Amino acid sequence: MIRRYLLALLLSAASLAHAADKLKSGTFDPPRMAPQIAQKAADGKDFSLDKFRGKVVVLEFGYTSCADVCPVSLALLKQAREKLGAMGDRMQVVFVTVDPQRDTAPKLKAYLEQFDKSFVGLTGSDEQMAAIRKAYGISATKKMVDGSKTEYTMGHSSYLYFIDPQGRLRALMPFGRPADDIVHDVTLLAKGQ
Amino acid sequence: MKRRLAVIAWLLAAAVAGALAWAAFAPIRSASHDALFEIPKGTWARRMAGEKAEILPDTITLVLGVNDVLLLRNSDTVPQIFGPVLIMPGQDFRLPFEQAGEHPFACTAHASGQMTVVVKPTPPAGLQRLQWRLQSLLSRAPWRD
């Protein structure tokens, strides 16, 4: 009888430990290789996603004029990077603009530097950016501001996309999760989970 | 005879009361937290042929601590977009929820292109848990509204 209780206790402890090791993001099974992105970054350097193998890449799709979602996510990513401490270098944030017409390279670079100088920005021609969105299944819709002929907002995905050190698209985190959740998932992915 | 019947009635009443008390206060345990939705093979072809292929419900209701993981399985032969998620053929996407609330999603697997996931809090011990257990008994897949 005691053995049975001990076994049950061990099993429940094991299942708790297993639950603690799960990613908090939405996950893909089986994961596929993240579509390659290769172009000039906002800082003028050549960017190639596969150069970041060995790191956890967090992709965010957004635009610099975004009032509510993008600044919050970028601030959370900065916080997460700080909380990771020495492991912060294992996380690379890549911000992909969905508004290349307004987000010129200098504007995007200056915007990201307000959050963290290590964040990489990507902008380019409409076609280049549309190709990236298509590969990741992202849609972005332009919506004119009421009463204006020039001002607009962009509807876009607010999820964070996690690419593991092997270059696989592993997980998506919904908008608004705390920095601790990002730290949790980046840590697990960096450790090869 | 009358006394024996009275004893049986008392025993039955006690058993029912015990069962109700258990249903109202016992912690909720679930073998799996997954609420599975599968996009079957041929969905896209059927839709292209003009057929109305409603696979996913308009609303999915999940309960925290019970079935709080949305599991989407794409068994079709083409990629499917669920909100911001591109799910490749043969791929699963598991999305855990940790907070109650309403989450609207765009979804190409749905004819209307829209779906809402409602996440409810864990039913608290008492009447609400009892009601939830009774409701779950009557419904085979309680997350399908």
Side-chain angles (χ1 to χ4, degrees), chain A residues 69-103:
Chain A
V69 173
C70 301
V72 174
S73 291
L74 286 167
L76 287 169
L77 286 165
K78 174 192 161 67
Q79 259 184 48
R81 202 163 174 276
E82 285 167 358
K83 286 186 170 202
L84 279 163
M87 265 189 73
D89 287 343
R90 299 284 309 276
M91 167 181 161
Q92 178 61 56
V93 173
V94 178
F95 185 87
V96 183
T97 185
V98 295
D99 185 15
Q101 287 184 358
R102 288 188 296 192
D103 286 346

Short mmCIF file of all heavy atoms in Angstrom, two decimals, chain A residues 69-103:
data_model
loop_
_atom_site.label_atom_id
_atom_site.label_comp_id
_atom_site.label_asym_id
_atom_site.label_seq_id
_atom_site.Cartn_x
_atom_site.Cartn_y
_atom_site.Cartn_z
N VAL A 69 0.68 48.44 -29.51
CA VAL A 69 1.25 47.09 -29.39
C VAL A 69 2.78 47.07 -29.42
O VAL A 69 3.44 46.56 -28.50
CB VAL A 69 0.68 46.17 -30.51
CG1 VAL A 69 1.37 44.82 -30.50
CG2 VAL A 69 -0.82 45.99 -30.32
N CYS A 70 3.36 47.64 -30.48
CA CYS A 70 4.81 47.50 -30.70
C CYS A 70 5.67 48.07 -29.58
O CYS A 70 6.62 47.40 -29.12
CB CYS A 70 5.21 48.11 -32.05
SG CYS A 70 4.34 47.35 -33.42
N PRO A 71 5.39 49.28 -29.10
CA PRO A 71 6.25 49.79 -28.02
C PRO A 71 6.18 48.94 -26.76
O PRO A 71 7.19 48.77 -26.07
CB PRO A 71 5.71 51.21 -27.74
CG PRO A 71 4.57 51.44 -28.64
CD PRO A 71 4.36 50.26 -29.51
N VAL A 72 5.00 48.38 -26.49
CA VAL A 72 4.85 47.54 -25.30
C VAL A 72 5.67 46.27 -25.46
O VAL A 72 6.43 45.87 -24.57
CB VAL A 72 3.36 47.20 -25.05
CG1 VAL A 72 3.21 46.22 -23.90
CG2 VAL A 72 2.56 48.47 -24.77
N SER A 73 5.53 45.63 -26.62
CA SER A 73 6.28 44.38 -26.85
C SER A 73 7.78 44.62 -26.81
O SER A 73 8.54 43.83 -26.23
CB SER A 73 5.90 43.77 -28.21
OG SER A 73 4.59 43.30 -28.16
N LEU A 74 8.23 45.70 -27.43
CA LEU A 74 9.66 45.98 -27.45
C LEU A 74 10.18 46.27 -26.04
O LEU A 74 11.29 45.85 -25.68
CB LEU A 74 9.96 47.16 -28.39
CG LEU A 74 9.86 46.81 -29.89
CD1 LEU A 74 9.86 48.07 -30.74
CD2 LEU A 74 11.01 45.89 -30.33
N ALA A 75 9.37 46.97 -25.25
CA ALA A 75 9.78 47.25 -23.86
C ALA A 75 9.86 45.94 -23.07
O ALA A 75 10.79 45.76 -22.26
CB ALA A 75 8.79 48.21 -23.22
N LEU A 76 8.91 45.03 -23.31
CA LEU A 76 8.93 43.74 -22.62
C LEU A 76 10.16 42.92 -23.03
O LEU A 76 10.78 42.23 -22.21
CB LEU A 76 7.65 42.95 -22.91
CG LEU A 76 6.39 43.47 -22.23
CD1 LEU A 76 5.15 42.79 -22.80
CD2 LEU A 76 6.45 43.21 -20.72
N LEU A 77 10.50 43.00 -24.33
CA LEU A 77 11.67 42.27 -24.81
C LEU A 77 12.96 42.83 -24.20
O LEU A 77 13.88 42.08 -23.85
CB LEU A 77 11.72 42.32 -26.35
CG LEU A 77 10.69 41.44 -27.04
CD1 LEU A 77 10.54 41.82 -28.51
CD2 LEU A 77 11.08 39.96 -26.92
N LYS A 78 13.00 44.13 -24.07
CA LYS A 78 14.18 44.76 -23.42
C LYS A 78 14.29 44.29 -21.97
O LYS A 78 15.36 43.87 -21.52
CB LYS A 78 14.03 46.28 -23.47
CG LYS A 78 15.10 47.05 -22.71
CD LYS A 78 14.67 48.51 -22.58
CE LYS A 78 15.41 49.25 -21.48
NZ LYS A 78 16.82 49.44 -21.73
N GLN A 79 13.13 44.29 -21.30
CA GLN A 79 13.10 43.83 -19.90
C GLN A 79 13.57 42.38 -19.80
O GLN A 79 14.35 42.01 -18.92
CB GLN A 79 11.66 43.86 -19.39
CG GLN A 79 11.30 45.02 -18.53
CD GLN A 79 9.87 44.84 -18.02
OE1 GLN A 79 9.49 43.77 -17.53
NE2 GLN A 79 9.08 45.87 -18.17
N ALA A 80 13.05 41.56 -20.71
CA ALA A 80 13.40 40.13 -20.70
C ALA A 80 14.90 39.95 -20.90
O ALA A 80 15.54 39.14 -20.21
CB ALA A 80 12.62 39.40 -21.80
N ARG A 81 15.46 40.72 -21.81
CA ARG A 81 16.89 40.62 -22.09
C ARG A 81 17.70 40.99 -20.85
O ARG A 81 18.71 40.35 -20.54
CB ARG A 81 17.25 41.51 -23.28
CG ARG A 81 18.51 41.11 -23.97
CD ARG A 81 18.66 41.69 -25.34
NE ARG A 81 19.98 41.35 -25.83
CZ ARG A 81 21.08 42.04 -25.54
NH1 ARG A 81 20.99 43.11 -24.80
NH2 ARG A 81 22.26 41.66 -26.00
N GLU A 82 17.24 41.98 -20.14
CA GLU A 82 17.94 42.39 -18.90
C GLU A 82 17.81 41.30 -17.84
O GLU A 82 18.77 40.97 -17.16
CB GLU A 82 17.34 43.70 -18.38
CG GLU A 82 17.75 44.91 -19.19
CD GLU A 82 16.94 46.17 -18.89
OE1 GLU A 82 16.00 46.10 -18.06
OE2 GLU A 82 17.23 47.20 -19.50
N LYS A 83 16.60 40.73 -17.73
CA LYS A 83 16.39 39.69 -16.73
C LYS A 83 17.21 38.43 -17.02
O LYS A 83 17.52 37.67 -16.11
CB LYS A 83 14.90 39.32 -16.67
CG LYS A 83 14.05 40.38 -15.99
CD LYS A 83 12.62 39.93 -15.83
CE LYS A 83 11.88 40.90 -14.94
NZ LYS A 83 10.71 40.35 -14.30
N LEU A 84 17.48 38.20 -18.30
CA LEU A 84 18.26 37.01 -18.66
C LEU A 84 19.71 37.12 -18.19
O LEU A 84 20.43 36.11 -18.14
CB LEU A 84 18.22 36.80 -20.18
CG LEU A 84 16.95 36.13 -20.72
CD1 LEU A 84 16.82 36.35 -22.22
CD2 LEU A 84 16.97 34.63 -20.41
N GLY A 85 20.15 38.32 -17.88
CA GLY A 85 21.51 38.52 -17.38
C GLY A 85 22.54 38.09 -18.40
O GLY A 85 22.48 38.49 -19.56
N ALA A 86 23.43 37.21 -17.96
CA ALA A 86 24.51 36.76 -18.84
C ALA A 86 23.97 36.02 -20.06
O ALA A 86 24.60 35.97 -21.11
CB ALA A 86 25.46 35.86 -18.07
N MET A 87 22.78 35.43 -19.90
CA MET A 87 22.19 34.70 -21.03
C MET A 87 21.52 35.62 -22.05
O MET A 87 21.03 35.17 -23.08
CB MET A 87 21.15 33.70 -20.51
CG MET A 87 21.74 32.30 -20.32
SD MET A 87 20.45 31.12 -19.98
CE MET A 87 19.70 30.97 -21.56
N GLY A 88 21.47 36.93 -21.73
CA GLY A 88 20.82 37.88 -22.63
C GLY A 88 21.42 37.87 -24.03
O GLY A 88 20.72 38.11 -25.02
N ASP A 89 22.71 37.55 -24.12
CA ASP A 89 23.36 37.52 -25.43
C ASP A 89 22.90 36.34 -26.27
O ASP A 89 23.17 36.29 -27.47
CB ASP A 89 24.89 37.43 -25.25
CG ASP A 89 25.46 38.75 -24.79
OD1 ASP A 89 24.76 39.78 -24.93
OD2 ASP A 89 26.60 38.76 -24.27
N ARG A 90 22.22 35.37 -25.63
CA ARG A 90 21.72 34.21 -26.40
C ARG A 90 20.38 34.53 -27.06
O ARG A 90 19.79 33.68 -27.73
CB ARG A 90 21.52 33.00 -25.46
CG ARG A 90 22.77 32.51 -24.77
CD ARG A 90 23.71 31.73 -25.68
NE ARG A 90 23.07 30.65 -26.42
CZ ARG A 90 22.87 29.42 -25.95
NH1 ARG A 90 23.26 29.12 -24.73
NH2 ARG A 90 22.30 28.50 -26.71
N MET A 91 19.87 35.75 -26.82
CA MET A 91 18.57 36.13 -27.41
C MET A 91 18.79 37.29 -28.39
O MET A 91 19.42 38.29 -28.03
CB MET A 91 17.63 36.55 -26.28
CG MET A 91 16.38 37.25 -26.72
SD MET A 91 15.43 37.70 -25.22
CE MET A 91 14.37 38.95 -25.86
N GLN A 92 18.30 37.15 -29.59
CA GLN A 92 18.42 38.22 -30.58
C GLN A 92 17.04 38.66 -31.03
O GLN A 92 16.27 37.87 -31.58
CB GLN A 92 19.23 37.74 -31.80
CG GLN A 92 19.35 38.78 -32.90
CD GLN A 92 20.07 40.04 -32.41
OE1 GLN A 92 21.20 39.98 -31.92
NE2 GLN A 92 19.43 41.20 -32.54
N VAL A 93 16.72 39.92 -30.80
CA VAL A 93 15.43 40.45 -31.23
C VAL A 93 15.57 41.02 -32.64
O VAL A 93 16.50 41.78 -32.92
CB VAL A 93 14.93 41.55 -30.27
CG1 VAL A 93 13.67 42.22 -30.80
CG2 VAL A 93 14.68 40.96 -28.88
N VAL A 94 14.64 40.61 -33.52
CA VAL A 94 14.62 41.15 -34.89
C VAL A 94 13.23 41.74 -35.13
O VAL A 94 12.23 41.03 -35.02
CB VAL A 94 14.93 40.04 -35.93
CG1 VAL A 94 14.84 40.60 -37.35
CG2 VAL A 94 16.30 39.42 -35.68
N PHE A 95 13.20 43.02 -35.43
CA PHE A 95 11.94 43.73 -35.62
C PHE A 95 11.74 43.93 -37.13
O PHE A 95 12.56 44.59 -37.78
CB PHE A 95 11.99 45.07 -34.90
CG PHE A 95 10.71 45.85 -34.91
CD1 PHE A 95 9.74 45.64 -33.94
CD2 PHE A 95 10.47 46.81 -35.89
CE1 PHE A 95 8.55 46.37 -33.94
CE2 PHE A 95 9.29 47.55 -35.90
CZ PHE A 95 8.33 47.32 -34.92
N VAL A 96 10.67 43.35 -37.65
CA VAL A 96 10.42 43.42 -39.10
C VAL A 96 9.27 44.39 -39.34
O VAL A 96 8.16 44.17 -38.84
CB VAL A 96 10.03 42.02 -39.65
CG1 VAL A 96 9.85 42.06 -41.16
CG2 VAL A 96 11.07 40.98 -39.26
N THR A 97 9.52 45.44 -40.09
CA THR A 97 8.46 46.43 -40.29
C THR A 97 7.39 45.92 -41.26
O THR A 97 7.68 45.21 -42.22
CB THR A 97 9.00 47.78 -40.78
OG1 THR A 97 7.89 48.71 -40.82
CG2 THR A 97 9.61 47.69 -42.17
N VAL A 98 6.16 46.29 -40.94
CA VAL A 98 5.04 45.98 -41.86
C VAL A 98 4.65 47.27 -42.60
O VAL A 98 3.67 47.29 -43.32
CB VAL A 98 3.83 45.40 -41.11
CG1 VAL A 98 4.15 44.06 -40.49
CG2 VAL A 98 3.29 46.38 -40.05
N ASP A 99 5.44 48.33 -42.38
CA ASP A 99 5.13 49.63 -42.97
C ASP A 99 6.40 50.21 -43.60
O ASP A 99 6.91 51.25 -43.17
CB ASP A 99 4.61 50.57 -41.85
CG ASP A 99 4.15 51.92 -42.38
OD1 ASP A 99 3.96 52.06 -43.61
OD2 ASP A 99 4.00 52.84 -41.56
N PRO A 100 6.92 49.52 -44.64
CA PRO A 100 8.21 49.96 -45.20
C PRO A 100 8.15 51.35 -45.83
O PRO A 100 9.20 52.00 -45.95
CB PRO A 100 8.53 48.88 -46.24
CG PRO A 100 7.24 48.21 -46.54
CD PRO A 100 6.38 48.33 -45.32
N GLN A 101 6.97 51.81 -46.22
CA GLN A 101 6.89 53.14 -46.84
C GLN A 101 7.30 54.24 -45.88
O GLN A 101 8.00 55.17 -46.25
CB GLN A 101 5.48 53.37 -47.37
CG GLN A 101 5.21 52.53 -48.61
CD GLN A 101 3.85 52.81 -49.21
OE1 GLN A 101 3.08 53.61 -48.70
NE2 GLN A 101 3.56 52.12 -50.30
N ARG A 102 6.87 54.13 -44.63
CA ARG A 102 7.22 55.16 -43.66
C ARG A 102 8.46 54.81 -42.86
O ARG A 102 9.19 55.68 -42.40
CB ARG A 102 6.03 55.40 -42.70
CG ARG A 102 4.88 56.13 -43.37
CD ARG A 102 3.83 56.52 -42.36
NE ARG A 102 3.19 55.35 -41.72
CZ ARG A 102 2.09 55.42 -40.98
NH1 ARG A 102 1.52 56.59 -40.75
NH2 ARG A 102 1.57 54.34 -40.45
N ASP A 103 8.67 53.50 -42.65
CA ASP A 103 9.82 53.08 -41.83
C ASP A 103 11.08 52.97 -42.68
O ASP A 103 11.47 51.89 -43.14
CB ASP A 103 9.51 51.74 -41.14
CG ASP A 103 8.54 51.90 -40.00
OD1 ASP A 103 8.30 53.05 -39.58
OD2 ASP A 103 7.98 50.88 -39.54
#
